[in-house]
Amino acid sequence: MSVPQPIAAPASAVSPGPPETAATPETADIPETTETPAVTGASETTGARPGPSTRRPHRGALLRLGVLFAVLGATAASLLLWDPSAVLSAATGPWRLPIALSVYVFGTVAFLPRPALNAGMGVLFGSLWGVPLAVAGSAVGAAVAFALGRGLGREALRPLVRGKVLTEIDRRLSEQGFRSVLLIRLFPGAPFQAGTFACAFSSVRFWPFLAGTVLGVVPITTAYVVAGASAGSPTSPAFLVSAAVIAAMCVFSALSLWRARPRRTAPPAA
């Protein structure tokens, strides 16, 4: 009688486990920890650091920007309640010149067209007093708008200066402030207050800005004031010369804008 042999288990069913290692005194009491890399604002792979152009304006800067918009909006809306020309016409006596200067400054901040203001100075005061009044009003109005933009809006809008074009404009205004502002003021196609606030939001300093403004507004301001003063005799040499200067500067502005337009490049041949 044969004795039955035990059935052997398949080799794949039983797998020997890893050999047990005895805990050594150096490693027995050390808990396992998992280190997590610290999260920083800079990218460790690219080494980029957040610069001024990537920061977001804080709440205080945004509130001041809102105040700037409110002040400018209220100044412009107030013109619906009073007529600057009526105030100038009613001003008499020794207060006439200060009132005219104040109205010009207010109108400049309120975005009134400067050609109309300059012509009005010529009609009311003639060329002798109208030109210095208009130049002084332009300078004071630009200084007030610059102070408002620099104090209330620059901190909020400064982080938006991005891109190659805006960065280059800011660099030129910072390094060549007087020359850049002078060219802006001599260019009659550039809106006066737009140039003022662009300078206020940039890095240009105040005194180069003011000097460039005063010298830059003299030619076109004089032409408009003389045209307004001599509007009663349109065939006079003064009116014809001033009108010719205004027309020449407008043509120059149009040609400059046409030359500065973006040009289309032809697609490469296949």
Side-chain angles (χ1 to χ4, degrees), residues 86-161:
V87 174
L88 291 174
S89 301
T92 57
W95 292 101
R96 190 183 183 196
L97 294 180
I99 290 175
L101 180 61
S102 301
V103 170
Y104 193 106
V105 171
F106 190 90
T108 302
V109 179
F111 296 93
L112 279 179
R114 286 186 64 253
L117 292 172
N118 294 329
M121 292 293 106
V123 171
L124 294 175
F125 298 97
S127 301
L128 182 61
W129 288 101
V131 172
L133 272 175
V135 172
S138 300
V140 178
V144 172
F146 184 92
L148 289 174
R150 179 63 60 90
L152 297 177
R154 182 175 184 267
E155 189 177 356
L157 297 178
R158 182 68 180 170
L160 301 180
V161 180

Side-chain angles (χ1 to χ4, degrees), residues 7 63 73 75 80 145 152-153 156 162 182 198:
I7 300 175
L63 288 177
T75 304
L80 300 174
L152 297 177
R162 303 179 183 178
L182 180 63

Side-chain angles (χ1 to χ4, degrees), residues 5 73 186 193 196 242:
Q5 300 294 330
L186 288 174
Q193 285 298 65
T196 299
S242 60

